[in-house]
């Protein structure tokens, strides 16, 4: 019988050992368990698993994990995209879009994430602004790319002034 805390310890152990395959197996098990915990846990575990798959350049599998967990997002919280987990989800989508050579997958990731990017223009972290701007350029959405780059420049100026 697997327990949530045991799997988290296992994952951390494999991560510290730099055992990529072991960490991936632990993340798969965490995602299985998280589905039973509730929608927020499902979404968080799906994002962590997708991020690991992206690190391994397994973009199709990463997209499948996220796509399967999408129904849990709205159940978890209607404004999920404005929270840290939502921003990490969007960043994973941008990583898939920028990394995959599969045009259909790229289009699907963009069609799903673009509306949420527009909702979070004032609430992103630097990496997300940068990746989203590159993705917008790739998907030929020049106006969104320009807006993202302007917002990133504003954030940087505010940090420098601080």
């Amino acid at each position: 019988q697997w327990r949530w805390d045991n799997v988290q310890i296992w994952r951390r152990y494999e991560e510290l050992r730099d055992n990529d395959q072991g960490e991936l197996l632990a993340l798969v098990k965490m995602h299985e368990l998280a589905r039973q915990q509730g929608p927020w846990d499902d979404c968080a575990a799906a994002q962590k698993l997708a991020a690991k798959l992206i690190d391994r350049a397994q973009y199709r599998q990463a997209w499948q994990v996220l796509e399967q967990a999408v129904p849990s997002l709205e159940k978890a919280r209607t404004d999920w995209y404005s929270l840290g987990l939502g921003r990490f989800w969007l960043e994973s989508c941008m990583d898939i879009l920028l990394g995959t050579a599969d045009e259909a997958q790229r289009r699907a990731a963009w069609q799903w994430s673009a509306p949420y990017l527009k909702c979070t223009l004032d609430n992103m972290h630097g990496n997300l602004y940068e990746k989203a701007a590159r993705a917008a350029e790739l998907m030929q959405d020049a106006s969104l790319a320009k807006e993202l780059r302007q917002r990133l420049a504003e954030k940087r100026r505010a940090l420098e002034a601080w």
Side-chain angles (χ1 to χ4, degrees), residues 13-24 52:
Y13 172 73
E14 297 297 353
E15 182 181 40
L16 290 171
R17 287 181 46 214
D18 285 329
N19 182 357
D20 206 42
Q21 187 62 30
E23 186 183 358
L24 180 60
K52 185 58 162 177

Side-chain angles (χ1 to χ4, degrees), residues 35-160:
R35 288 182 186 156
Q36 300 163 14
Q37 301 289 324
W40 189 262
D41 293 313
D42 180 24
C43 294
Q47 191 280 323
K48 287 178 182 162
L49 176 55
K52 185 58 162 177
L53 291 166
I54 290 165
D55 286 345
R56 297 167 57 105
Q58 295 176 314
Y59 301 110
R60 175 165 289 144
Q61 295 90 329
W63 178 247
Q64 288 170 347
V65 167
L66 292 177
E67 200 172 38
Q68 289 170 357
V70 161
S72 293
L73 282 171
E74 288 289 329
K75 290 178 189 172
R77 190 160 165 165
T78 54
D79 63 344
W80 62 267
Y81 50 84
S82 67
L83 305 171
L85 176 60
R87 291 189 299 271
F88 289 123
W89 258 67
L90 290 170
E91 187 172 1
S92 290
C93 288
M94 297 303 99
D95 288 336
I96 291 167
L97 193 150
L98 294 167
T100 189
D102 184 330
E103 184 60 34
Q105 188 176 31
R106 189 178 291 142
R107 249 189 332 275
W110 182 249
Q111 288 172 351
W112 183 83
S113 58
Y116 298 112
L117 290 171
K118 292 173 184 173
C119 291
T120 60
L121 283 172
D122 290 323
N123 192 22
M124 293 185 186
H125 52 272
N127 283 348
L128 181 53
Y129 276 115
E130 186 59 42
K131 290 175 183 181
R134 288 188 4 238
E137 289 165 353
L138 183 65
M139 300 310 292
Q140 300 176 344
D141 189 337
S143 64
L144 181 56
K146 181 180 178 184
E147 179 73 18
L148 288 161
R149 293 212 183 276
Q150 286 174 341
R151 301 286 176 112
L152 177 58
E154 289 169 11
K155 294 266 183 178
R156 286 183 176 155
R157 280 193 298 275
L159 284 173
E160 288 170 3

